[in-house]
Amino acid sequence: MANQSRRDFLKQAALVGTAVTGLSTKSKAAPKNSLSEDRMGVLVDTTVCIGCRKCEWACKTAHNLETPPLESYEDRSVFENRRRPDSKALTVVNEYQKNESEKIPINVKVQCMHCDHPACVSACIVGAFSKQENGSVIWDGDRCIGCRYCMVACPFQVPAFEFEKALKPDIKKCDFCFARTKDGQIPACTEICPVEAITYGRREDLVKAAHEKIKNYPHRYINRVFGESEVGGTSWLYLSSKEFEELEFPKLGKDPAPGVSEAIQHGIFAYFVPPVALYALLGGVMWINKNKKNDQETEI
Amino acid sequence: MRSKIILIVLISSLAIFAQNKKEAHPNLNGISCKTCHSCDIPTKENPCIKPCPRDKMVSINQSPEEGPNVLVIDKFKSQSNIYAPVVFSHRLHAEMSGMAGGCKMCHHYNPPGQVIGCSDCHELMRKRTDVSKPDLKGAYHRQCMQCHRSWSGKVDCVSCHEPNGTNQKNKEQAITEKSSKRIHPQVITPTVLKFDTPKAGGKIVTFYHSQHIDLFGLECQSCHSNESCAKCHIKEKPASLKAKTADQKHAVCSNCHDTKSNCNMCHSSTTKEGFNHKSRTGFDNSKFHASLSCSRCHLEKTKFTGLKGDCINCHGKWTQENFDHKKTGLAFDENHSGIECAECHQEKNYSNPVCKNCHEDKSYPKNVPGKLIKKK
Ligand code: SF4
Ligand code: SF4
Ligand code: SF4
């Protein structure tokens, strides 16, 4: 709650600030962090995923990113390096080799977790990030000022910045296929997955199904659903046969307060006094720069 | 009065239900309805089948010939624009799975009657409300990949799928032809296997494989359950045995044997003899019981203890009236035909008869209380 009000305060601070510098601003209020009971999620069963990377292909195709031909995804040498989602791939699959005696490796798909209490939303001072009713955490390019606080705040290091683009770089991250789900389709990756290692459904149902699986197959799974309570719960949930930390999942508490973003904001308050004026100046300048390249968008 | 009527109605409906169970599932007598159904009275309209805990589900085995030879899996034709439908050599796969677990390797929920296919339970649409089980596409692929992945290490689609637009008829014909010729060879069961183990003072374990099947009545699946093709069709030998713990190595044996404290039962510095009832238990079963299967006397499956050679365990109490002594190869003379068994047989297994109770100067087998005849 305290967190929420701080965020609101910061948003207002930014709005007031931009107004002070005499710039127009959006009057739309940022969407509330409303957690609908029917919000959707995805259950990732890492014991089922075969590492075919079709999800990577489908994700790129659905987002009009440069997409190599489907056949090239059969090349398994990519697993030699650990990859992270970036501005060119909103999701990646990594591979973890078990010990010698067990021949089948474990594959883990990585993307934005769509937190129930997203640190990125809290960190963003202009409200470019928002948690939608269906669970998605999405980013609005028109509002973003490119400060990259979200990147630092995210406990999963998901938001990526298009460093290679000098003009109007965007923040890129998995948007839970917001455009598709609005249309009644399911996310592209969950649609293509041949083994349905990633199941799309109501988060509540998925949590139930996950625990049912653990109960039925105690030898197959460890007794933990990653994302059920980590950082206050996430829309994407994971099942695994071994401890998540061994699969390079971050070690996180159950506390929904996004600690990292808090630290940034505290830091800002400590060094910049009074912050409002500075925000106003910085934010305003960046905003102008951005809108210059974007003048087809008419604002008030 | 009314409550009595309700009670009667309830009881009779339960009785009808119990009877229906017999009709619906004639082979499931030993299985509780609750294994599969969540409600008390499942009906055709509302069978209330439980979410599927695979390995606890009922599965009935059929022979590979009873199933189809080749299947074209074209349920997703309208959904997929990347790959053509798979032509699946069902019979060949059924034969291959024969040793590892039979039909239930794939048809994990399979009550008697017609075999239930994947699409009977798994939904065709991925967008659905019941997320407790995978959709049909997921279910199919999981079955395939479980073996194919561990066997070849590959997950490429084109191992099974042709790209869209290829001539399916040709493919179908080719696979039908191929699988009518190439049948998975019968799995040859070894008679005896010798394992070299690192155990000090007991390096050799002699394993009489055929005895475990023929004598002790184990099924292939008792030990080889859930083994995939990779068990035999191994591409590169893993250093797996070394990496296994002692417990893992003993896992299969310890289903029946005490592997914690009784090492010498299997481990020895020399090759061991196979099982011999007389030397192992002291009861010589070669004279009268040689043709019996173990289970005639050892009623509890895989438990072979507790009888201690007492005839009474199986035969009840013998008397002159109910025992035909001629069966043993000895027909009494008149003098001996009326006396109690215990006069001569003092041991509980009726061996080593004595004469001294009546005749101080006589002994068996020098003297015989009748005539030796051919054993019946
Ligand atoms: S498509 Fe499914 S199975 Fe393939 S890598 Fe992605 S999550 Fe894993
Ligand atoms: S994973 Fe990171 S980017 Fe995604 S919602 Fe959570 S905090 Fe935001
Ligand atoms: S939900 Fe959509 S954006 Fe996110 S990883 Fe899947 S395909 Fe990509």
Side-chain angles (χ1 to χ4, degrees):
Chain A
M1 210 58 218
N3 192 38
Q4 179 94 10
S5 52
R6 182 183 306 112
R7 205 176 76 219
D8 289 342
F9 163 71
L10 279 171
K11 263 183 215 137
Q12 276 152 18
L15 291 178
V16 172
T18 39
V20 164
T21 50
L23 289 161
S24 62
T25 185
K26 282 189 179 174
S27 50
K28 242 196 301 172
K32 275 209 224 90
N33 188 8
S34 50
L35 289 178
S36 151
E37 262 185 18
D38 287 330
R39 65 189 184 280
M40 304 304 274
V42 171
L43 179 61
V44 185
D45 189 336
T46 59
T47 70
V48 168
C49 174
I50 55 173
C52 68
R53 297 171 55 225
K54 294 289 175 295
C55 47
E56 292 185 22
W57 179 83
C59 179
K60 286 190 184 197
T61 310
H63 290 80
N64 296 320
L65 296 167
E66 196 191 323
T67 316
L70 191 58
E71 305 83 68
S72 67
Y73 282 77
E74 317 240 291
D75 171 20
R76 294 182 77 79
S77 66
V78 291
F79 291 133
E80 284 160 19
N81 299 313
R82 208 58 91 224
R83 297 176 304 149
R84 298 281 320 161
D86 59 26
S87 58
K88 295 191 205 84
L90 311 185
T91 182
V92 293
V93 179
N94 283 320
E95 182 160 292
Y96 298 85
Q97 197 66 43
K98 288 195 196 171
N99 55 29
E100 274 278 308
S101 69
E102 291 157 271
K103 286 190 80 193
I104 299 180
I106 301 176
N107 292 98
V108 181
K109 179 182 182 297
V110 189
Q111 72 296 307
C112 169
M113 299 288 284
H114 298 275
C115 308
D116 280 348
H117 305 276
C120 54
V121 173
S122 298
C124 184
I125 53 176
V126 292
F129 273 92
S130 58
K131 174 87 176 169
Q132 299 295 314
E133 202 167 329
N134 74 349
S136 325
V137 174
I138 58 170
W139 171 84
D140 177 354
D142 294 341
R143 293 178 170 220
C144 179
I145 54 170
C147 72
R148 283 174 272 155
Y149 285 167
C150 51
M151 293 172 65
V152 193
C154 171
F156 301 96
Q157 294 164 37
V158 164
F161 192 68
E162 287 179 308
F163 284 107
E164 68 290 341
K165 267 200 198 162
L167 309 176
K168 196 187 172 277
D170 276 346
I171 294 282
K172 291 265 181 189
K173 75 164 197 74
C174 155
D175 60 359
F176 214 169
C177 285
F178 193 62
R180 286 174 60 97
T181 51
K182 224 168 39 190
D183 251 19
Q185 287 175 289
I186 66 174
C189 56
T190 64
E191 185 178 82
I192 200 167
C193 178
V195 288
E196 209 188 36
I198 41 182
T199 309
Y200 180 73
R202 275 182 75 231
R203 183 179 186 272
E204 211 177 280
D205 297 342
L206 294 172
V207 171
K208 222 167 89 197
H211 283 290
E212 195 71 26
K213 281 189 180 197
I214 293 174
K215 199 180 91 203
N216 285 339
Y217 310 106
H219 299 300
R220 182 173 185 143
Y221 302 107
I222 59 161
N223 187 9
R224 180 176 164 198
V225 181
F226 188 96
E228 186 183 1
S229 54
E230 277 73 12
V231 291
T234 58
S235 306
W236 282 63
L237 306 155
Y238 285 76
L239 281 172
S240 165
S241 57
K242 59 154 93 175
E243 275 309 328
F244 289 99
E245 281 71 23
E246 286 176 57
L247 302 173
E248 295 180 346
F249 281 67
K251 221 180 156 66
L252 297 167
K254 295 182 188 233
D255 196 351
V260 189
S261 77
E262 217 163 55
I264 299 175
Q265 288 165 5
H266 284 314
I268 292 164
F269 281 113
Y271 291 109
F272 299 92
V273 192
V276 174
L278 261 167
Y279 275 158
L281 195 67
L282 281 173
V285 169
M286 288 173 114
W287 211 67
I288 299 168
N289 280 343
K290 204 171 148 61
N291 271 14
K292 262 195 204 150
K293 318 286 187 303
N294 201 13
D295 29 6
Q296 66 265 43
E297 291 242 0
T298 41
E299 302 283 341
I300 316 150
Chain B
M1 187 60 204
R2 183 186 280 172
S3 64
K4 259 191 196 149
I5 293 177
I6 293 178
L7 202 73
I8 290 170
V9 168
L10 206 78
I11 290 173
S12 56
S13 69
L14 277 175
I16 290 171
F17 164 63
Q19 204 177 353
N20 279 349
K21 182 200 163 186
K22 261 201 182 138
E23 272 163 33
H25 312 296
N27 302 335
L28 290 188
N29 278 334
I31 292 155
S32 150
C33 312
K34 296 270 177 203
T35 309
C36 309
H37 302 279
S38 60
C39 51
D40 285 333
I41 304 177
T43 57
K44 239 196 174 133
E45 291 69 40
N46 176 26
C48 57
I49 297 197
K50 277 190 188 171
C52 186
R54 275 190 88 112
D55 22 26
K56 281 181 228 124
M57 278 294 184
V58 195
S59 271
I60 303 293
N61 262 332
Q62 300 195 346
S63 73
E65 296 75 47
E66 287 175 78
N69 182 11
V70 170
L71 283 171
V72 180
I73 302 172
D74 56 4
K75 295 219 160 63
F76 312 102
K77 225 177 183 166
S78 55
Q79 289 176 24
S80 166
N81 47 12
I82 307 176
Y83 295 111
V86 163
V87 184
F88 174 62
S89 49
H90 179 274
R91 186 169 302 161
L92 181 62
H93 281 81
E95 281 163 356
M96 289 190 283
S97 74
M99 194 179 112
C103 309
K104 69 164 177 274
M105 293 275 287
C106 299
H107 299 277
H108 50 98
Y109 174 69
N110 194 19
Q114 211 181 358
V115 172
I116 284 193
C118 308
S119 59
D120 290 327
C121 303
H122 296 275
E123 287 177 53
L124 188 61
M125 294 307 292
R126 183 153 285 186
K127 191 180 170 190
R128 63 198 191 279
T129 45
D130 177 12
V131 289
S132 66
K133 51 182 186 284
D135 74 331
L136 188 58
K137 180 169 121 181
Y140 275 135
H141 281 109
R142 286 186 192 193
Q143 298 290 20
C144 308
M145 294 319 293
Q146 207 174 345
C147 292
H148 280 247
R149 190 185 183 200
S150 67
W151 169 43
S152 66
K154 281 205 226 146
V155 297
D156 55 332
C157 309
V158 289
S159 299
C160 307
H161 292 272
E162 299 278 318
N164 222 355
T166 9
N167 190 335
Q168 279 296 110
K169 273 274 153 291
N170 286 349
K171 170 105 179 178
E172 198 181 325
Q173 207 170 4
I175 289 201
T176 312
E177 222 163 81
K178 200 169 153 199
S179 64
S180 64
K181 268 188 267 145
R182 200 189 72 180
I183 292 174
H184 191 268
Q186 190 102 45
V187 180
I188 299 163
T189 50
T191 311
V192 53
L193 293 165
K194 221 171 97 186
F195 294 103
D196 285 313
T197 74
K199 184 171 175 55
K203 287 207 180 317
I204 299 172
V205 171
T206 324
F207 176 65
Y208 288 84
H209 190 278
S210 57
Q211 283 196 335
H212 279 77
I213 301 170
D214 302 335
L215 275 184
F216 313 140
L218 297 189
E219 311 268 344
C220 304
Q221 295 102 286
S222 314
C223 304
H224 298 281
S225 69
N226 289 328
E227 271 172 15
S228 74
C229 316
K231 178 82 184 180
C232 304
H233 299 272
I234 212 149
K235 292 261 151 118
E236 59 208 68
K237 278 251 184 248
S240 62
L241 264 183
K242 274 213 183 77
K244 274 191 181 168
T245 64
D247 275 352
Q248 285 170 332
K249 283 184 223 170
H250 287 116
V252 172
C253 309
S254 57
N255 279 341
C256 305
H257 297 279
D258 170 13
T259 54
K260 285 267 185 282
S261 53
N262 197 4
C263 308
N264 296 340
M265 168 107 168
C266 306
H267 287 271
S268 160
S269 53
T270 54
T271 313
K272 276 204 169 206
E273 289 287 312
F275 178 78
N276 176 309
H277 206 282
K278 187 176 178 194
S279 62
R280 178 66 62 80
T281 69
F283 179 76
D284 184 359
N285 69 346
S286 62
K287 282 192 193 138
F288 302 110
H289 302 84
S291 61
L292 296 184
S293 72
C294 306
S295 63
R296 273 295 294 279
C297 307
H298 302 280
L299 301 178
E300 205 179 325
K301 242 191 161 182
T302 71
K303 277 246 173 344
F304 300 101
T305 52
L307 299 184
K308 300 205 177 84
D310 285 0
C311 310
I312 199 168
N313 276 325
C314 305
H315 295 286
K317 194 161 165 48
W318 274 322
T319 61
Q320 277 282 18
E321 282 76 46
N322 68 14
F323 186 74
D324 180 6
H325 207 281
K326 286 187 201 122
K327 282 199 170 152
T328 69
L330 173 78
F332 289 131
D333 56 25
E334 243 173 70
N335 290 338
H336 291 92
S337 58
I339 57 175
E340 284 300 311
C341 308
E343 293 289 340
C344 310
H345 296 288
Q346 295 180 334
E347 290 180 25
K348 62 185 175 185
N349 64 1
Y350 298 84
S351 57
N352 306 324
V354 293
C355 313
K356 64 174 190 284
N357 267 355
C358 309
H359 317 279
E360 263 173 36
D361 53 338
K362 294 203 165 133
S363 70
Y364 180 85
K366 223 163 82 197
N367 310 99
V368 182
K371 205 166 74 190
L372 290 178
I373 55 171
K374 240 181 111 204
K375 263 189 214 172
K376 270 195 192 164

